Amino acid sequence: EIERNGIVKLLKNTDMNIEVLAFENGKSVVSYLQKNSCDILITDIKMPIISGLDLLEIAKTLHPNIKTILMSAFAEFDFAREAVRLGAVNYLLKPIDTDWLIKFIEIQANTSIAGEEIGQYTSLTKKLLKNSEKGYSKPIHDTINIIENNYHLPSLNLMTITNKLFISIGYLCNIFKKETGMSVAKYLNCYRLEKAKDLLINSNLKISKIMNRVGFENFPHFCYNFKNYFGITPSKIRGVDDV
């Protein structure tokens, strides 16, 4: 309750012309959404009666255009991955960055998603990709270093990584998933897409050039992966309509 009231007070004290409502559990939110609409839903992941992920799925069914932010103290990739699948706009780890939250609400309230605005907030799994490597075993450290130094090479994949490390594919797959919470292929794909987003926002390079610089060779495949990951196409992240 204290945290919920704090967020309400924070948002009401801004200059934004918005209405802020608070509910004590997911069931109350569903009851409200069955009769009313809203633009943005902020919910915790772990709640009684209805979890945040279940609430998101119900909310998206009732109002497909609703924007949703999920909060959690659990910095685990599985939560973020499920949130993406269900259409979450973003995933916040506690303690909440209040400046980021206000900026995000401002962006959504203005219904504008230009490239320079997107650059103001962290994408769904970027924090997970930048998590401290402290405690990782040597093969995990080495794998991450290989990816960060060679992600631009289309030939980089699980087999080439294991060949460099002189270990088996099965062994690396098992320990990487166990220690990081995601597969090697997923980490590589996410890292490439994060680099692509940075280039889209901070450079004037053509999208096809950016695609090549981050290790993709097929343009439709790149665009599909990019939209599936960020929820927006490479063109629109620059504020340009898709051709």
Side-chain angles (χ1 to χ4, degrees):
E1 182 179 2
I2 293 174
E3 183 178 359
R4 184 170 64 245
N5 291 338
I7 292 176
V8 170
K9 183 177 180 180
L10 173 72
L11 295 178
K12 284 186 174 180
N13 285 338
T14 67
D15 294 329
M16 293 182 286
N17 183 25
I18 57 175
E19 181 183 8
V20 184
L21 301 176
F23 301 88
E24 62 182 7
N25 57 54
K27 184 178 179 180
S28 299
V29 177
V30 172
S31 297
Y32 177 83
L33 292 178
Q34 287 174 334
K35 300 177 182 178
N36 306 275
S37 64
C38 76
D39 299 306
I40 302 170
L41 171 65
I42 305 172
T43 177
D44 208 321
I45 288 281
K46 198 170 184 180
M47 301 187 297
I49 307 178
I50 298 177
S51 73
L53 293 176
D54 289 339
L55 176 58
L56 171 57
E57 190 165 18
I58 295 170
K60 295 293 285 187
T61 300
L62 294 172
H63 304 285
N65 294 324
I66 194 171
K67 307 295 184 182
T68 307
I69 303 172
L70 286 101
M71 305 185 302
S72 178
F74 301 93
E76 298 179 7
F77 184 75
D78 284 345
F79 283 125
R81 179 175 56 192
E82 182 67 5
V84 171
R85 187 186 72 79
L86 294 172
V89 174
N90 223 298
Y91 179 96
L92 286 177
L93 298 180
K94 298 177 182 178
I96 303 300
D97 184 334
T98 56
D99 290 337
W100 181 97
L101 180 61
I102 291 173
K103 180 63 179 178
F104 180 86
I105 299 295
E106 288 175 344
I107 292 171
Q108 298 303 325
N110 292 328
T111 63
S112 175
I113 313 183
E116 65 271 18
E117 289 171 326
I118 287 182
Q120 298 296 319
Y121 61 87
T122 305
S123 64
L124 191 59
T125 60
K126 192 166 186 177
K127 286 185 179 179
L128 296 175
L129 293 176
K130 288 189 173 181
N131 272 350
S132 171
E133 297 177 20
K134 184 179 180 181
Y136 285 168
S137 62
K138 187 176 186 304
I140 305 304
H141 278 289
D142 292 343
T143 299
I144 291 174
N145 285 335
I146 290 173
I147 288 174
E148 292 180 351
N149 292 321
N150 299 278
Y151 68 91
H152 60 286
L153 300 175
S155 59
L156 185 65
N157 55 35
L158 183 58
M159 182 173 291
T160 58
I161 291 172
T162 54
N163 286 341
K164 286 177 178 288
L165 297 177
F166 300 102
I167 58 178
S168 71
I169 291 177
Y171 174 72
L172 180 59
C173 286
N174 287 334
I175 64 169
F176 198 92
K177 181 66 179 291
K178 182 178 180 180
E179 294 187 30
T180 69
M182 70 178 85
S183 67
V184 176
K186 183 69 176 181
Y187 187 96
L188 172 59
N189 191 57
C190 292
Y191 194 85
R192 283 171 165 164
L193 292 171
E194 290 290 352
K195 290 295 184 180
K197 190 202 75 170
D198 288 341
L199 288 171
L200 284 164
I201 293 172
N202 299 311
S203 78
N204 294 319
L205 289 171
K206 292 182 179 180
I207 296 176
S208 59
K209 292 287 186 182
I210 291 174
M211 175 195 76
N212 292 329
R213 286 201 178 190
V214 298
F216 285 91
E217 294 182 294
N218 182 282
F219 191 75
H221 178 67
F222 167 68
C223 291
Y224 172 82
N225 274 269
F226 193 94
K227 185 174 182 180
N228 188 53
Y229 182 60
F230 291 110
I232 187 173
T233 63
S235 296
K236 287 188 176 179
I237 206 170
R238 281 182 162 174
V240 178
D241 290 334
D242 292 319
V243 178

